[in-house]
């Protein structure tokens, strides 16, 4: 799945989770879910494709074993500081990423292609595309699965706007503060 697809699914799940708890998505939660949806690829892809430390771009942080350990440690830390909402949003983003990376192979009946979920207990699947960012973008095509991801991104954008665009005011304030500092307008 492409980054915008992960982001869309993660935000939609986060918004639903907030609504089920009778609250609105927060700016901090929106940032946490957005980061969570990208986290596995931000770690695994560079470590595999740029530094050749991992065997593929879906191993270490794509493993449910790592996810369980990391989220457990973060939960312990969050419990001590009473900051569970951002952790919940991060967990939704992170776990939705793993689930969505599994959907396409499972729908095609390729169970072996989700072995990354139990890495290093199971060997990761081999991929046809070479280990580089440019190779993956070169193979980009408007398949039905990619078009579905664009549609989900459009839906998520609409839901985010309906949710009051959480985070936009904070970004505007941050940008305003940066430009005022840079141009000496304070």
């Amino acid at each position: 799945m492409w980054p915008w697809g992960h982001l869309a699914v993660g935000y939609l799940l986060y918004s639903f989770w907030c609504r089920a708890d009778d609250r609105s998505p927060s700016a901090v939660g929106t940032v946490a879910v957005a980061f969570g949806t990208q986290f596995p690829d931000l770690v695994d892809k560079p470590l595999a494709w740029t530094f050749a430390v991992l065997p593929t771009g879906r191993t270490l942080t794509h493993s449910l074993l790592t996810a369980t350990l990391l989220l457990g440690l973060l939960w312990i830390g969050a419990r001590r500081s009473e900051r569970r909402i951002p952790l919940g949003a991060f967990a939704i983003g992170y776990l939705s990423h793993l689930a969505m990376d599994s959907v396409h192979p499972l729908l095609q009946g390729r169970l072996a292609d989700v072995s990354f979920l139990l890495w290093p207990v199971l060997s990761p699947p081999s991929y046809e595309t070479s280990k580089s960012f440019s190779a993956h973008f070169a193979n980009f095509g408007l398949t039905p699965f990619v078009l579905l991801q664009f549609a989900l991104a459009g839906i998520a954008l609409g839901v985010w706007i309906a949710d009051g665009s959480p985070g936009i005011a904070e970004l505007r304030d941050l940008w305003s503060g940066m430009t005022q500092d840079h141009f000496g307008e304070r």
Side-chain angles (χ1 to χ4, degrees):
M1 183 169 260
W2 290 92
W4 59 86
H6 285 301
L7 181 60
V9 170
Y11 185 78
L12 290 170
L13 290 172
Y14 170 63
S15 179
F16 177 75
W17 178 59
C18 289
R19 298 293 175 202
D21 200 28
D22 203 28
R23 59 189 166 88
S24 298
S26 70
V28 173
T30 299
V31 170
V33 76
F35 179 65
T37 65
Q38 307 307 308
F39 177 72
D41 287 342
L42 290 172
V43 173
D44 286 358
K45 304 254 187 284
L47 289 178
W49 299 347
T50 305
F51 301 108
V53 175
L54 296 175
T56 74
R58 284 187 183 159
T59 47
L60 180 64
T61 56
H62 281 77
S63 172
L64 287 171
L65 304 172
T66 301
T68 302
L69 178 65
L70 178 63
L71 292 173
L73 290 172
L74 289 173
W75 181 78
I76 290 168
R79 190 170 171 206
R80 290 182 182 175
S81 68
E82 298 181 21
R83 301 205 67 149
R84 291 186 207 148
I85 294 172
L87 175 58
F90 174 78
I92 288 169
Y94 187 1
L95 295 174
S96 71
H97 182 112
L98 302 183
M100 295 317 297
D101 275 354
S102 304
V103 165
H104 200 248
L106 289 175
L107 288 176
Q108 294 181 332
R110 298 185 337 253
L111 186 58
D113 285 355
V114 296
S115 62
F116 63 85
L117 290 172
L118 292 176
W119 185 86
V121 175
L122 298 178
S123 297
S126 59
Y127 298 101
E128 296 175 15
T129 306
S130 68
K131 297 179 180 183
S132 75
F133 290 101
S134 59
H136 278 74
F137 281 107
N139 286 335
F140 180 80
L142 291 178
T143 66
F145 191 60
V146 169
L147 293 173
L148 174 63
Q149 292 175 63
F150 279 122
L152 285 170
I155 292 167
L157 179 62
V159 169
W160 176 74
I161 291 169
D163 286 342
S165 308
I168 211 70
E170 291 78 6
L171 282 174
R172 196 175 305 125
D173 291 346
L174 179 65
W175 179 256
S176 176
M178 288 173 34
T179 55
Q180 288 176 356
D181 287 345
H182 181 71
F183 294 110
E185 295 178 10
R186 280 196 176 208

